[in-house]
Amino acid sequence: HHLRYLIIFRYGHMLTSVRLFMLMNVILASHRTSITKAFSTHHSKKVLTSAATSRFSSAFATKRPSVLTQSARYRHLHSTPVDLQESSAMSTSAEQAYPIEMSEAERYLFDLNGYIIIRNVLSAEEVAEANYAIDKHQEAMIERKEDALRNTVKGTKFSGTGTGRKDLGGVLEWGEDSKIFKKILAHPRLVPIFHGILGKGYRMDHLPFVIAQDKGAEGFQLHGGTVDCNSGAYNPELAYTCYNGFIRSALLGCNVMLTDHDPGFGGFCVVPGSHKSNFKMPNGMVDGEKYSEFIQQPATKAGDVVLFSEGTVHGAMAWTPETQRRVCLYRFSPGTNVYGRSYFTEDGKWPEKMYEDLNDAQRSVLEPPYANRLDRPEIQEDAQSVTISTRNEIKKKHDQEMFGTKYF
C-alpha cells in the first residue's frame, strides 16, 4: 500500500490511468526482492535497537550521554537525506550527517523573520506513509461548517469560496499509523533547532492535528503576535525574545508539510518580522484586504517543516489547487512554559496511547512543565537518549525533610 501511494505521489500527475497502472506493476515487480531483503534487514536492526534502548523510569534514573565519535557539529545516522540550507558542508559518508546545533544562518534567519523552513525533513516515502495513515482515518475529519467555527470573515480574501477547513485529531493515538508522526517529537534534524529556540528540555504543548483544505476552502485570518495583531495587547504566552544571542520563543509552531505548497497555492502565510512588532495591525490587514504585499505564503514541498514563533503574526490563505492541502501542526514550548492543558489529566499525563512505542527522547517531550533542575530529561546529541538535569543530593534531601515531598 505504501509503495503504491508513493508511485501515485511521485508520478500520478504525469501519467494516464493505464500507464500509471503499468508503471505500478513494473516497479512493484522489480522491487519485490529488494523489499523483502530491506524488510529483513530493518527487522534485524529494529530488534537490536529495541534491546539496546531502555526507557527512562518514573524515577528518572540518570543516564550517561552517548559518546559520539564524529565531529562536534554533526552526528551521523542512517536516515533520509536532508537539505541543510545555509549550514556547513555535510559529510560525504554513506551515513547521513545531521547538525548537532542550530547554525548561525538558521539563528539569523529565524530571528530576522520569525520563522524558518527546514527542507526535506521527511523523505518522499515518509510523506507517503503519513498520507496513507491520514487516508485510513480521514472519515474522522471534522469540517468547520458552523459560523462560530469559521476562521475568516465571509467575502474577504482569506475566505475562499465558502467551504470550511477540515481538522483531524488523534495523530499520536493510531498505533502503527502514528509512528511517522511520533518521529517529529525528537527528529534528529529538528532537535538542535528546538534546542536553539526553546532550550533543552523542550516539551509538546498542544495536541497535534492534521489540517486539510479542499479546493476553495477558507484559510485563517491573521492572528498571534508578541503584541497581539488585533488588540495591541502584550501576549506573554506567545512572546519572542532574543537577548545577547539567546533566542527563546514561548510557543513554537511546527508545520509538517504533507503536500506541496507552490507559489499562489495558498495555505500557511506569515508577516515576516512581525514577532518584533510593537503595534497592532492597521484595519483590514488581518483579513488580507489591505497591505497584502507584506503577507507572504512561503513556497514549500511535501516533507518540509516550517517552524514559526507564535509571536509571529500568521494565518492561512484560501486553497486553490484541485489536490487537498494537508499539514500536521504541532506546538512546542520551553520546559517551563505552558499554554495548553491536555496533559493535565487526573494522572498528569497525555492520552495513554500516545506513549506507545516511544524512545526516551520522544517520551521526554511529553513531560509536563517544570524547571530543568527538578529532574527534567534532556535530549542528547543522538536525538534518542536523555540525561536528567538535577540538583545535588543534599538539597533534594533537605527539601524532602522540610516539605515531606520529593519536589517543592
Side-chain angles (χ1 to χ4, degrees):
H1 286 298
H2 289 172
L3 187 54
R4 285 190 176 95
Y5 200 110
L6 175 60
I7 294 168
I8 295 170
F9 174 77
R10 283 185 167 175
Y11 305 112
H13 65 289
M14 298 184 295
L15 303 172
T16 65
S17 59
V18 175
R19 292 189 177 184
L20 179 59
F21 179 77
M22 294 172 63
L23 175 63
M24 288 171 64
N25 286 335
V26 170
I27 295 180
L28 285 168
S30 65
H31 279 71
R32 188 171 290 112
T33 302
S34 60
I35 290 172
T36 303
K37 291 181 179 179
F39 176 80
S40 176
T41 303
H42 172 72
H43 180 69
S44 299
K45 289 183 179 179
K46 184 175 180 180
V47 171
L48 290 172
T49 303
S50 298
T53 303
S54 61
R55 296 187 176 128
F56 57 88
S57 67
S58 58
F60 298 123
T62 303
K63 296 185 180 181
R64 295 175 180 270
S66 59
V67 179
L68 302 180
T69 57
Q70 61 270 20
S71 69
R73 285 189 58 79
Y74 294 96
R75 59 174 169 270
H76 297 270
L77 299 173
H78 292 286
S79 189
T80 309
V82 297
D83 176 8
L84 291 181
Q85 293 181 319
E86 302 295 332
S87 301
S88 303
M90 293 173 59
S91 166
T92 56
S93 166
E95 293 182 333
Q96 180 58 48
Y98 285 108
I100 60 174
E101 61 183 23
M102 191 175 184
S103 72
E104 289 299 318
E106 290 165 344
R107 192 174 286 113
Y108 173 80
L109 292 173
F110 187 81
D111 179 64
L112 176 70
N113 294 310
Y115 78 98
I116 189 170
I117 302 171
I118 311 301
R119 304 288 183 183
N120 302 315
V121 174
L122 297 182
S123 66
E125 291 81 1
E126 290 173 319
V127 170
E129 181 182 346
N131 277 309
Y132 179 66
I134 294 170
D135 286 345
K136 290 171 66 176
H137 297 272
Q138 65 180 336
E139 289 185 1
M141 284 185 179
I142 300 174
E143 181 181 341
R144 293 172 174 255
K145 296 180 178 180
E146 292 81 5
D147 290 343
L149 293 176
R150 288 304 184 98
N151 296 314
T152 62
V153 176
K154 189 175 181 179
T156 61
K157 288 186 177 180
F158 290 168
S159 66
T161 57
T163 57
R165 191 184 84 180
K166 296 178 180 178
D167 300 333
L168 175 63
V171 297
L172 300 184
E173 303 172 63
W174 294 340
E176 287 290 318
D177 292 339
S178 289
K179 286 188 174 181
I180 186 63
F181 298 101
K182 289 177 177 178
K183 285 184 179 181
I184 298 299
L185 299 177
H187 193 286
R189 180 63 184 99
L190 300 177
V191 165
I193 304 179
F194 288 154
H195 284 168
I197 297 173
L198 304 170
K200 290 188 175 182
Y202 72 89
R203 54 179 296 274
M204 187 177 76
D205 189 83
H206 289 46
L207 287 168
F209 67 105
V210 171
I211 296 173
Q213 287 175 268
D214 295 323
K215 182 178 180 180
E218 70 165 353
F220 201 136
Q221 69 175 186
L222 297 178
H223 56 282
T226 298
V227 170
D228 190 271
C229 62
N230 281 289
S231 68
Y234 176 62
N235 284 328
E237 68 276 12
L238 307 180
Y240 172 87
T241 58
C242 184
Y243 178 74
N244 200 24
F246 185 83
I247 290 175
R248 279 297 174 269
S249 183
L251 192 62
L252 182 72
C254 174
N255 253 340
V256 181
M257 318 307 278
L258 299 176
T259 51
D260 291 351
H261 290 60
D262 291 343
F265 275 22
F268 178 78
C269 62
V270 65
V271 180
S274 56
H275 57 313
K276 299 179 181 180
S277 176
N278 292 299
F279 304 96
K280 68 177 182 178
M281 284 189 162
N283 294 334
M285 188 170 180
V286 295
D287 298 311
E289 296 296 298
K290 291 185 177 180
Y291 310 107
S292 59
E293 65 271 26
F294 298 103
I295 306 170
Q296 295 185 9
Q297 178 239 307
T300 56
K301 294 296 183 182
D304 293 347
V305 171
V306 180
L307 299 176
F308 60 99
S309 170
E310 288 282 350
T312 307
V313 177
H314 58 282
M317 296 180 177
W319 190 244
T320 61
E322 296 287 345
T323 54
Q324 186 181 72
R325 177 195 183 220
R326 287 181 178 178
V327 302
C328 189
L329 175 60
Y330 302 70
R331 292 185 181 92
F332 299 97
S333 66
T336 54
N337 285 62
V338 60
Y339 186 111
R341 56 177 293 175
S342 292
Y343 72 93
F344 205 0
T345 57
E346 291 182 1
D347 57 359
K349 291 185 176 181
W350 300 87
E352 193 62 35
K353 289 184 178 180
M354 290 173 55
Y355 293 90
E356 297 175 358
D357 299 317
L358 299 178
N359 63 31
D360 287 357
Q362 294 165 345
R363 182 175 290 266
S364 74
V365 182
L366 301 186
E367 282 293 293
Y370 57 90
N372 289 48
R373 63 194 294 260
L374 300 178
D375 297 341
R376 189 169 197 90
E378 297 179 350
I379 300 174
Q380 298 305 292
E381 291 176 351
D382 62 3
Q384 296 181 33
S385 62
V386 300
T387 56
I388 306 302
S389 177
T390 188
R391 300 172 297 151
N392 66 56
E393 293 300 321
I394 294 177
K395 288 185 177 181
K396 290 195 287 187
K397 182 179 179 182
H398 172 75
D399 288 344
Q400 180 72 48
E401 292 174 348
M402 180 172 59
F403 295 115
T405 59
K406 188 173 181 179
Y407 302 108
F408 56 80

